Every structure is written in structure tokens, then in C-alpha cells.
Amino acid sequence: SNQFKLLPSVSEIHDQPHTSWGKTVKRTHSIPGKMVQLESVALEHSVHPIRPDVVAMSGGKRLFIEVTVTHGTDQKKLKHIQKINTSAIEFNLRDYSRTIDWEMLRDLLVSASPLKTWIFNRRQAEIETKLLDEVVAEIAILEEDRRKSPSETLLLNSATGAADQLIDNCNMEWQSNSRKGVDELTEKMKISGKAICFSLKNGGEIFVHSIDKNIVLLHIPEQAEWLLSALSKFSVAKKSDSIWVMPKNREHQLFIYLNSISSVTRSVQSHTF
């Protein structure tokens, strides 16, 4: 059917990790809203195990459309949408009567509107991964340049040695005295959320989740357990089964190390720890 829809914009996608000495490396990107032609539209079409309100096709790709009147998209549905990597938008009509005239419907379809937002944008996920790759690569270059700088090598080694000694002392205390504190922190953290996945060249994947100012969560599946001995220098401590924790002050060094031994690095929108 010869219909058109204005897809919502994504104002800013960004990644801004730091080097080991605190320099911010930032990348940003935006996705403007646009008109697209819908080649087909199916109502309440099952995409096992979910049933979107509308399944549309545009440019050979699926687009899910959810019309929210009372209840929005739940986590189970969202996870499946992300898993099958299909873009989805929501029309939020909670504050409107169930009767909508054609003029309002047309404006909603073809105009920018705060009532129309992304539930999941597959391009955003791809761009986040690309930005992260660029940032991690630049940080690796900056770290290497700093290590090779003749004027800074002696000072850097001295500072690094002192910092490592201080960190090691802190880590001894962290390992021995803060098991209760770690448990309390991880209980307060969300057990699922955005993560960075490192696909290791020698097999397996590691998922890194960092939302707390003190600790970082690591999911290390069985296939990647070969790396645990190397990760000991980052003071990782076992939380449960394949879940490990480490001090936040080792996060940047960990990212640089994992990037150097990974074939692919990607951003994961929702991962359960």
C-alpha cells in the first residue's frame, strides 16, 4: 500500500570512555527522522513468540509498530525485539480517547510528534558498536603513544609503579574486607542492562557491565574461562557461577586489554547478569 511514515529521530548516540590518565575520547552521531514508504502492513501478525500491533515492511526490512493505549512494551517483548534485531516504534496514545479522527492519525503518521518514539532502533545499535570500536582503537593508540614518549617514559613508569602499588594495597583490602560491601552493591545494581561484549580471538565472549561508581560486573561464560588467570591482574573476584566483579579503577585498563585480544567488540542493549 502506498503509505508513508515519518520515523522518529535519534538526537544523539555517544560513547566517551577515558584513557588511563583521564583523557576523554568522545564520538557522537545522530539519526534524523525521515519519510519511508511502507510496502506492506499486517495487523496483529504473530512473530513468534510476540504479536506486534502492526508489522510493516519497508525497503525489504521489517518495522514493528506498537500502539500504546494502556500498557507499554514489556521487558520480555523488548528482549525478543532486540534479539531478532528488528526496529520498533511506539505511538503513545495513553492520554487520548480511543476514538481518533483521520486528521490526527495522518499527523501522527507523517509528522514529527512526541507521541512517537523508538522502542528499538537497529541502526542505533550498529552505530553504537561502531563508535565504541573507534573510541577503543583511539584509546589504544593514545596509550601506546604515551608509553613510547621519551620525555614521559620515566615519569610515567614512576607514576604507574606508585599507582599500581596503591591500587594493589587497596585491592588487598577490597578483596579481604569488602565481600559484604560487594554483595550489597551488586544487590542494588540492575541485574540486566546495557553491556559491552568482547568476542575473544581464542574463543568465548566476555560481557562487561558498568553502572556503579565503585565496581564493574563481568559475565565470563565457560568458553572464556581460559582467560581468568590473565584477568587476575585486574583484581577480579568471583561473585557467583560465571559472574565476577572488579574495582572500577581498573576498568579502562581492562577495556584496552580485552580489545587487544578480541576479534569483535559490540554494544549489547540488554544482557542479564
Side-chain angles (χ1 to χ4, degrees):
S1 58
N2 197 25
Q3 302 178 52
F4 293 83
K5 182 179 302 300
L6 175 67
L7 298 183
S9 62
V10 180
S11 58
E12 184 176 281
I13 307 167
H14 65 85
D15 253 301
Q16 49 183 27
H18 303 268
T19 63
S20 60
W21 64 90
K23 176 181 174 61
T24 299
V25 178
K26 184 175 181 179
R27 292 287 190 281
T28 60
H29 187 90
S30 61
I31 303 175
K34 66 177 182 179
M35 301 291 287
V36 296
Q37 184 171 1
L38 301 184
E39 297 144 6
S40 66
V41 174
L43 303 180
E44 297 288 345
H45 178 72
S46 177
V47 182
H48 184 76
I50 63 174
R51 186 184 293 272
D53 293 331
V54 180
V55 178
M57 294 295 296
S58 176
K61 296 182 176 64
R62 282 187 305 196
L63 172 68
F64 295 160
I65 302 168
E66 296 290 340
V67 181
T68 299
V69 178
T70 54
H71 303 292
T73 303
D74 60 34
Q75 283 299 309
K76 182 178 179 181
K77 195 171 193 177
L78 174 59
K79 286 182 179 180
H80 187 71
I81 289 172
Q82 293 170 339
K83 181 179 179 180
I84 62 178
N85 199 32
T86 299
S87 295
I89 60 176
E90 176 191 51
F91 292 166
N92 185 354
L93 303 180
R94 287 185 179 91
D95 297 331
Y96 291 82
S97 66
R98 292 174 182 266
T99 303
I100 301 176
D101 59 38
W102 284 107
E103 183 176 351
M104 178 183 176
L105 179 60
R106 183 182 183 283
D107 287 343
L108 187 61
L109 288 173
V110 302
S111 304
S113 170
L115 303 179
K116 184 168 48 182
T117 57
W118 285 107
I119 297 172
F120 175 70
N121 185 313
R122 61 189 298 272
R123 280 194 63 214
Q124 179 176 350
E126 293 167 357
I127 290 170
E128 284 178 344
T129 299
K130 179 176 179 293
L131 294 183
L132 178 61
D133 288 344
E134 291 177 359
V135 167
V136 171
E138 181 171 339
I139 286 178
I141 292 171
L142 291 172
E143 295 280 356
E144 184 65 20
D145 288 346
R146 188 177 178 100
R147 281 194 293 270
K148 290 181 177 179
S149 174
S151 62
E152 295 182 356
T153 298
L154 185 60
L155 178 62
L156 179 61
N157 288 341
S158 174
T160 300
D164 281 347
Q165 182 61 52
L166 178 61
I167 289 172
D168 288 340
N169 291 339
C170 291
N171 286 337
M172 288 177 64
E173 181 179 356
W174 187 82
Q175 293 276 12
S176 61
N177 299 329
S178 69
R179 169 56 59 187
K180 181 179 178 182
V182 169
D183 290 340
E184 290 174 351
L185 280 169
T186 51
E187 285 172 4
K188 292 177 183 178
M189 294 173 72
K190 297 177 181 178
I191 61 171
S192 65
K194 185 175 178 181
I196 299 173
C197 175
F198 295 86
S199 297
L200 306 172
K201 295 176 183 176
N202 290 338
E205 293 181 328
I206 290 182
F207 296 83
V208 182
H209 184 50
S210 175
I211 63 169
D212 187 271
K213 65 180 180 180
N214 297 308
I215 65 172
V216 175
L217 281 180
L218 303 175
H219 177 200
I220 307 176
E222 184 178 356
Q223 297 87 341
E225 287 182 351
W226 59 269
L227 189 60
L228 285 174
S229 59
L231 293 182
S232 61
K233 65 181 178 181
F234 299 102
S235 302
V236 297
K238 193 165 189 177
K239 179 69 174 67
S240 62
D241 294 330
S242 58
I243 306 303
W244 298 69
V245 294
M246 59 171 276
K248 183 76 169 182
N249 57 20
R250 290 295 181 97
E251 180 183 36
H252 301 311
Q253 292 90 338
L254 175 73
F255 279 178
I256 293 168
Y257 173 68
L258 289 179
N259 185 65
S260 70
I261 61 171
S262 299
S263 56
V264 177
T265 304
R266 70 180 191 277
S267 177
V268 179
Q269 293 301 305
S270 181
H271 182 77
T272 300
F273 285 79

